[in-house]
């Protein structure tokens, strides 16, 4: 084989550190990290980005995503991101949040940020539970789903219905781009990457608030192996949380994405 | 009399359970006892250890810097705790999980091929019971048959079928006597 | 009596059920989560109310509402969550309502970690919320004591119509010890006369913490403080060990207190006349006991899993009659008895300078021992 025949088809994006993550084997938090790193690299934004990490399994996201980072109080990442963005408007600022963090503790902050049309990007990991604290019920837990704090399965009569966050935020005028994607298979991951790219471009071009909800697996707390967890996601989460674009403002629909 | 025992190994080796069994046995005998685990993110796949304190009197500290006995179920545990065992105390090691002998000569050391024995009995996961048997067989912290009694009294119904195997593991461990 | 081997968190949850808990509102946080998880199964089983709130802010305000009915209600959390609850605690106190809060303290500040700590003393004992109010604060040192104080917490909350906080740390929450669980108390389901929804009230009941006229607010605060005087008279609790002949006394509560017991015993074995005072009610503080000891002993050593938050209280009571030494670990570190034993020896062999700053001496040692990381 000559050198010309050797083609690199897969490598670690430079935005990711060379570390073994603390995530459980097969957890899609790692996939989401990779997509963010690839997108920011492709946009040439790696040196211009500030991330806001959540309280949740991704609390140490800054160990793996190799640019400036801050760590928010539980649920308050959008407020913290607002503070940074308003002070340094030319930086790309994003939050990375779980469903407990964003849709329970921090529902006030995310709604306020979206309705202000805050020029930030939110990557939202929906894994239907509180991963870090041992698998308790989250706002996204499906009806009947067993968790360590809904041991008989989520009873919608007493524990309410799951929140479809993307649909909810899409109702807000300040939200420019709101989409849901899934990380359970290769096609979903490719689509997720494109949505993440769009979300960051929206911010770059100053078009308003952008969020991508990513359906994720939590094999550890679901008590499933990775294969079964992906299947469970497809069978149970996708019907409740359909993939799609829930808000594409006119400006966003006319937006041109450069490069790539 | 007071004894502090640290049981340490990888998550999944049954270190916490072995400690709980001791605690149950001590409680059933009317002794004061505390059981405290290491807890936190390190529980995911990493090391898991617990400290059991057994005493005739109200227990002060539920931990000890220099425990009277250590059960080390893997090499990191041996490395960490061997230097800490109280002089004259006991160090019980799962010989199958380490690649070195103990170096201290001021403590009693028992190298027990616990995994091999457990497999002979029928389940590698009984290695924790073999080591516990070795500890009790040498230190006699509890009355004769106390661990066996605790197994009978505190095992959930669906796990009762494992009791005979665990008792055999305790007995096989007790055959190892410190020189 | 049947003994059971139970984890502190689970034991407190079950004890609360047995004390007649009608409603529980909480939010998951380590190292308290077993408490919430236990109740998520047990409360619905017995037809009682369990809600996993959207946040600790939600939880404490659910407790606020439930407390307005006068029926037994509780929440539990750990330090960062309790910080969020402070506003609600102030409101509940300002409305004179009974409620029980369990704080299983962890290492801080900020997100910190999930290891045991006692650094919530200041925010709980000296009021993390705004305005003049007091909590009754009970600090158990064993699982049995935690169980017993849980029942008492509800009784005291109702007796004085105030918030009672059970202050644990991650160690106590995760530790298993044999306990005798109390019997089930009858559950009160009818609101008392002062509460909303009561069949016994003569007029309509309005519960609020607003006093728009300052003179009214002041009068209310005088009433609250008068009630607190009663609490201080009646509800001081502590346990003394070897105090009769003690020449030096170690003062520590909760986990630090029981670890100190081991060190105190070791020192006595070496012939030193050391005693231990373990405050159980941190608020009201055993001021009289400390005051009397200050008149007859040669020195105090305060031991805490914090930077000396209780130390300040002891120093002010000791009022330079005796030197007050300090030994603390912070950030989720738990002292071994050996460290405390060393601190005892240093106290005995020290300079006995009543003007010395115990915290400064300790901090200088800590800089040597652990450094500043810079
Ligand atoms: C104020 C406060 N309350 C509670 C917690 C405990 N806590 C840590 S992570 C977490 C939930 C994380 O769940 P999620 O956001 O879904 O993230 P995941 O771990 O599933 O990725 C909670 C409740 C905390 N750290 N701070
Ligand atoms: S607990 Fe769940 S979400 Fe957290 S790292 Fe493990 S698999 Fe991923
Ligand atoms: Mg989650």
């Amino acid at each position: 084989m000559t050198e010309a025949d050797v083609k690199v088809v897969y490598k670690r994006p430079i935005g990711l550190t060379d570390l073994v993550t603390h995530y459980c084997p097969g957890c899609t938090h790692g996939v989401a990290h990779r997509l963010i790193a690839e997108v920011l690299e492709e946009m040439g934004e790696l040196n211009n980005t500030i991330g806001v990490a959540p309280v949740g399994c991704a609390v140490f996201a800054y160990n793996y995503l190799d640019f400036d980072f801050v760590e928010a109080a539980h649920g308050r990442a959008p407020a913290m991101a607002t503070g940074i963005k308003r002070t340094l408007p030319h930086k790309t600022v994003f939050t990375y949040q779980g469903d407990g963090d964003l849709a329970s503790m921090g529902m006030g902050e995310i709604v306020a940020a979206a309705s202000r049309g805050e020029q930030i990007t939110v990557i939202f990991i929906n894994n239907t539970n509180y991963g870090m604290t041992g698998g308790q019920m989250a706002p996204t837990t499906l009806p009947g789903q067993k968790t360590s704090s809904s041991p008989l399965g989520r009873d919608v009569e007493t524990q309410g219905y799951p929140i479809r966050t993307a649909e909810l935020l899409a109702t807000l005028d300040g939200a420019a781009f709101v989409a849901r994607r899934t990380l359970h298979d290769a096609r979903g991951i490719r689509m997720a990457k494109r949505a993440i790219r769009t979300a960051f471009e929206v911010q770059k071009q100053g078009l308003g608030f952008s969020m991508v909800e990513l359906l994720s697996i939590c094999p550890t707390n679901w008590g499933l192996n990775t294969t079964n967890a992906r299947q469970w996601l497809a069978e149970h989460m996708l019907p409740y949380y359909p993939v799609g674009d829930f808000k594409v403002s006119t400006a966003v629909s006319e937006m041109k994405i450069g490069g790539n | 009399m007071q004894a502090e025992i640290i049981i340490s190994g990888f998550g999944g080796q049954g270190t916490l359970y072995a400690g709980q069994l001791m605690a149950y046995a001590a409680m059933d005998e009317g002794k004061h006892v505390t059981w405290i685990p290491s807890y936190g993110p390190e529980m995911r796949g990493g090391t898991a250890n617990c400290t059991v304190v057994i005493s005739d009197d109200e227990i002060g500290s539920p931990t000890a810097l220099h425990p009277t006995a250590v059960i080390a179920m893997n090499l990191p545990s041996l490395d960490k705790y061997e230097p800490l065992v109280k002089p004259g105390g006991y160090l019980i090691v799962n010989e199958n999980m380490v690649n070195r002998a103990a170096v201290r000569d001021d403590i009693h050391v028992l190298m027990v091929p616990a995994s091999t024995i457990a497999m002979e009995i029928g389940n590698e996961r009984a290695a924790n019971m073999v080591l516990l048997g070795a500890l009790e067989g040498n230190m006699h912290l509890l009355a004769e048959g106390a661990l066996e009694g605790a197994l009978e009294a505190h095992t959930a119904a669906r796990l009762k079928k494992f009791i005979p195997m665990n008792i055999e593991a305790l007995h096989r461990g007790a055959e190892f006597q410190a020189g | 009596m049947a003994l059971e081997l139970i984890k502190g968190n689970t034991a407190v949850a079950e004890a609360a059920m047995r004390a007649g808990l009608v409603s529980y509102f909480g939010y998951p946080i380590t190292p308290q989560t077993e408490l919430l998880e236990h109740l998520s199964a047990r409360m619905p089983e017995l037809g009682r109310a369990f809600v996993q709130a959207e946040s600790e802010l939600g939880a404490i305000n659910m407790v606020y509402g439930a407390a307005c009915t006068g029926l037994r209600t509780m929440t539990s959390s750990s330090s960062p969550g309790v910080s969020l609850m402070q506003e609600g605690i102030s409101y509940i106190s300002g409305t004179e309502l009974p409620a029980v809060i369990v704080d299983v303290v962890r290492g801080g500040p900020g997100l910190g970690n999930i290891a045991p700590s006692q650094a919530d003393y200041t925010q709980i004992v000296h009021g993390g919320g705004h305005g003049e109010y007091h909590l009754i604060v009970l600090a158990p040192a064993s699982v049995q004591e935690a169980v017993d104080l849980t029942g008492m917490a509800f009784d005291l909350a109702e007796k004085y119509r105030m918030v009672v906080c059970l202050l644990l740390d991650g160690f106590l929450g995760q530790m298993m010890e044999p306990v005798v669980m109390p019997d089930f108390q009858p559950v009160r389901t009818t609101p008392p006369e002062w509460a909303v929804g009561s069949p016994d009230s003569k007029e309509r009941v309005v519960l609020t913490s607003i006093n728009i006229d300052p003179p009214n607010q002041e009068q209310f605060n005088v009433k609250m403080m008068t009630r607190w005087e009663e609490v201080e008279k009646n509800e001081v609790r502590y346990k003394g060990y070897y105090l009769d002949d003690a020449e030096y006394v170690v003062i520590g509560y909760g986990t630090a207190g029981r670890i100190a017991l081991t060190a105190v015993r070791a020192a006595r074995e070496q012939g030193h006349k050391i005693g231990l005072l373990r405050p159980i009610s941190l608020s009201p503080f055993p001021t009289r006991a400390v005051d009397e000891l200050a008149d007859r002993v040669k020195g105090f050593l305060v031991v805490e899993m914090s930077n000396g938050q209780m130390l300040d209280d002891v120093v002010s009571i000791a009022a330079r009659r005796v030197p007050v030494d300090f030994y603390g670990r912070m950030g989720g570190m738990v002292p071994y008895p050996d460290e405390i034993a060393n601190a005892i020896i240093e106290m005995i062999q020290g300079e006995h300078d009543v003007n010395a700053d115990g915290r400064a001496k300790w901090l200088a040692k800590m800089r040597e021992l652990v450094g500043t990381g810079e």
Side-chain angles (χ1 to χ4, degrees):
Chain A
M1 227 178 355
T2 66
E3 214 169 281
D5 295 332
V6 182
K7 199 173 138 214
V8 176
V9 291
Y10 194 79
K11 67 175 173 53
R12 180 169 49 82
I14 48 177
L16 282 186
T17 59
D18 190 10
L19 285 178
V20 177
T21 74
H22 72 291
Y23 298 115
C24 305
C27 174
T28 38
H29 267 302
V31 178
H33 285 20
R34 185 185 170 96
L35 297 183
I36 293 167
E38 286 179 356
V39 164
L40 291 173
E41 182 180 340
E42 286 159 17
M43 289 174 68
E45 280 295 299
L46 279 175
N47 291 325
N48 191 46
T49 299
I50 301 171
V52 185
V55 174
C57 280
V59 65
F60 294 129
Y62 46 77
N63 287 344
Y64 317 125
L65 289 165
D66 201 5
F67 36 79
D68 284 2
F69 243 98
V70 297
E71 212 296 294
H74 191 27
R76 317 299 171 211
M80 209 172 173
T82 299
I84 296 171
K85 184 74 183 184
R86 294 283 177 130
T87 319
L88 300 173
H90 300 298
K91 290 287 177 186
T92 291
V93 179
F94 79 98
T95 73
Y96 183 106
Q97 300 178 260
D99 40 5
D101 192 80
L102 181 142
S104 192
M105 174 61 83
M107 191 52 115
E109 280 71 14
I110 194 71
V111 167
S115 57
R116 282 196 306 268
E118 208 60 60
Q119 307 280 349
I120 61 171
T121 300
V122 174
I123 307 298
F124 171 45
I125 305 293
N126 176 353
N127 60 10
T128 73
N129 74 46
Y130 288 47
M132 185 183 219
T133 43
Q136 293 81 19
M137 190 181 79
T140 45
T141 297
L142 294 171
Q145 187 182 342
K146 284 187 183 161
T147 70
S148 62
S149 64
S150 57
L152 301 177
R154 182 176 191 157
D155 175 359
V156 295
E157 294 286 320
T158 54
Q159 293 162 311
Y161 293 86
I163 297 177
R164 293 186 181 92
T165 312
E167 288 87 330
L168 182 76
L169 295 180
T171 64
L172 301 170
D173 290 344
F177 178 65
V178 179
R180 182 183 294 117
R181 298 292 186 265
T182 176
L183 299 179
H184 83 285
D185 64 7
R187 182 166 169 269
I189 291 170
R190 276 197 303 275
M191 287 170 60
K193 183 174 172 185
R194 276 197 295 274
I196 292 170
R197 175 70 189 254
T198 306
F200 277 110
E201 290 285 352
V202 166
Q203 177 177 175
K204 192 103 214 273
Q205 302 183 24
L207 303 181
F209 174 91
S210 56
M211 182 187 87
V212 183
E213 174 173 341
L214 298 171
L215 302 182
S216 263
I217 59 169
C218 178
T220 299
N221 289 307
W222 292 358
L224 297 173
N225 66 30
T226 314
T227 311
N228 290 342
R230 287 172 191 282
Q231 201 173 341
W232 189 90
L233 186 158
E235 276 169 25
H236 297 92
M237 288 177 74
L238 280 176
Y240 204 97
Y241 298 115
V243 162
D245 295 349
F246 298 96
K247 180 71 172 286
V248 182
S249 70
T250 317
V252 172
S253 64
E254 292 163 356
M255 181 178 76
K256 297 213 168 34
I257 296 185
N260 209 33
Chain B
M1 189 287 300
Q2 173 163 316
E4 306 97 20
I5 303 110
I6 291 177
I7 307 178
S8 180
F10 293 124
Q13 283 186 310
T15 56
L16 302 187
Y17 176 69
Q20 279 178 12
L21 185 65
M22 282 209 90
Y24 275 119
M27 174 179 88
D28 291 346
E29 248 179 74
K31 289 203 152 73
H32 293 264
V33 62
T34 58
W35 172 94
I36 189 152
S38 60
Y39 66 92
E42 77 264 28
M43 278 171 73
R44 256 180 229 144
T47 63
N49 68 62
C50 65
T51 305
V52 178
V53 180
I54 299 174
S55 178
D56 296 325
D57 214 346
E58 178 183 344
I59 294 171
S61 176
T63 61
L65 180 56
H66 298 294
T68 29
V70 167
I71 294 179
M73 295 192 66
N74 61 11
L75 186 60
S77 304
L78 176 63
D79 291 343
K80 177 167 178 195
Y81 290 111
E82 180 181 359
L84 295 177
V85 178
K86 193 178 281 174
Y90 285 80
L91 174 64
I92 319 239
V93 184
N94 185 348
E95 193 173 29
N96 301 122
M97 298 293 291
V98 301
N99 58 9
R100 69 168 179 87
V103 294
R104 294 263 305 263
D105 57 9
D106 61 339
I107 56 175
H108 306 281
V109 177
L110 277 100
M111 303 296 287
V112 182
S115 303
T116 311
I117 295 172
M119 271 186 299
E120 282 168 25
I121 297 170
N123 190 340
E124 197 184 342
R125 297 188 55 174
N128 60 345
M129 292 294 117
V130 176
L131 295 162
L132 191 59
L135 175 101
E136 179 54 20
N138 281 270
M139 294 185 73
H140 307 291
L141 298 169
L142 304 162
E144 185 85 39
L147 290 171
E148 292 84 342
L151 269 174
E152 301 281 358
H154 303 285
T155 301
R158 68 195 162 83
L159 300 174
K160 287 240 193 262
K161 55 177 188 278
F162 295 115
I163 292 178
M165 184 182 71
N166 281 331
I167 290 183
E168 193 186 343
L170 288 170
H171 292 171
R172 289 287 298 274
E175 288 167 12
F176 285 80
Q177 291 295 315
Chain C
M1 279 279 174
L3 281 167
E4 298 168 61
L5 191 68
I6 318 185
K7 230 181 211 199
N9 281 335
T10 314
V12 168
E14 184 62 26
M17 299 256 342
R18 292 174 184 226
L21 185 65
V22 172
S23 61
Y24 172 90
F25 309 95
Y27 188 78
I29 185 166
T30 317
Q32 159 279 161
T33 300
E34 294 85 357
L35 215 159
L36 172 136
E37 288 178 350
H38 184 79
L39 292 175
S40 77
R42 289 284 280 151
M43 292 292 275
E45 212 170 88
L46 300 190
R48 306 189 195 174
F50 169 92
V51 177
Q52 181 181 314
E54 69 277 15
S55 67
E56 290 86 354
L57 288 175
I60 193 69
N61 286 288
M62 291 174 191
V63 166
Y64 191 13
C68 286
T69 71
L71 302 179
R72 294 199 158 180
T73 185
M74 161 174 138
T75 185
S76 61
S77 188
S78 175
S79 313
V82 173
S83 299
L84 278 175
M85 292 184 179
Q86 291 294 351
E87 179 201 44
I89 294 173
S90 173
Y91 274 70
I92 297 172
S93 302
T95 315
E96 303 178 85
L97 301 174
V100 172
I101 293 167
V102 183
D103 181 2
V104 186
V105 183
R106 65 186 227 180
L111 194 50
N113 56 51
I114 58 178
S117 164
Q118 295 184 321
D120 280 9
Y121 181 96
T122 300
Q123 78 154 331
I124 292 294
V125 170
H126 293 301
H130 60 283
E132 297 94 331
Y133 69 93
H134 292 276
L135 305 192
I136 295 177
V137 183
L138 304 173
S142 69
V143 178
Q144 183 69 61
E145 205 168 59
V147 163
D148 298 343
L149 292 178
T150 301
M152 182 189 291
F154 285 100
D155 294 341
L156 293 177
E158 276 168 14
K159 181 170 174 197
Y160 297 103
R161 276 176 61 182
M162 52 199 300
V163 178
V164 179
C165 176
L166 216 54
L167 198 65
L168 275 62
D169 61 70
F171 235 56
L172 265 171
Q174 299 297 322
M175 181 167 64
M176 290 177 104
E177 276 185 307
V179 288
V180 180
M181 288 307 281
D183 293 334
F184 275 87
Q185 298 299 310
V187 182
R188 175 171 189 150
T189 52
T190 314
E193 197 187 332
W194 57 263
V196 294
S198 170
D200 304 323
S201 24
K202 319 230 159 17
E203 306 167 357
R204 77 188 183 107
V205 171
V206 175
L207 297 173
T208 166
S209 72
I210 192 170
N211 272 299
I212 203 74
D213 289 331
N216 289 350
Q217 183 72 57
E218 187 175 50
Q219 202 175 45
F220 174 84
N221 291 4
V222 169
K223 178 176 86 171
M224 295 272 282
M225 289 186 66
T226 307
R227 185 179 311 165
W228 183 248
E229 275 186 348
E230 276 302 295
V231 175
E232 285 183 314
K233 237 179 272 159
N234 302 334
E235 309 301 346
V236 169
R237 289 177 174 82
Y238 61 89
K239 192 163 173 187
Y241 303 76
Y242 318 110
L243 288 179
D244 289 345
D245 67 343
E247 293 177 351
Y248 296 88
V249 171
V250 179
I251 304 176
Y253 71 91
T255 293
R258 71 181 289 168
I259 295 173
L261 177 60
T262 300
V264 165
R265 283 178 180 151
R268 285 195 90 84
E269 267 170 36
Q270 292 170 22
H272 302 297
K273 290 196 170 140
I274 311 291
L276 171 69
L277 181 81
R278 181 167 67 76
I280 294 171
S281 60
L282 300 180
S283 172
F285 196 73
T287 304
R288 172 100 64 80
V290 175
D291 186 66
E292 284 170 7
L293 285 169
D295 274 336
R296 69 172 166 92
V297 303
K298 295 185 193 161
F300 289 145
L301 171 67
V302 174
V303 177
E304 292 179 75
M305 279 141 54
S306 80
N307 61 345
Q309 302 189 346
M310 181 179 73
L311 171 68
D312 293 333
D313 289 336
V314 174
V315 165
S316 93
I317 299 165
R320 295 184 196 271
R321 282 172 289 173
V322 290
V324 185
D325 276 13
F326 176 64
Y327 189 75
R329 296 302 301 262
M330 300 181 286
M333 296 296 289
V334 179
Y336 282 108
D338 314 56
E339 300 167 48
I340 302 172
N342 287 342
I344 291 174
I345 300 301
E346 279 176 30
M347 164 172 64
I348 295 170
Q349 294 172 349
E351 304 194 330
H352 294 101
D353 175 2
V354 295
N355 293 315
D357 181 340
R359 183 187 281 112
K361 274 202 298 191
W362 160 79
L363 189 58
K365 258 189 304 192
M366 287 299 282
R367 274 193 293 266
E368 300 259 300
L369 188 70
V370 305
T372 63
E374 275 180 358

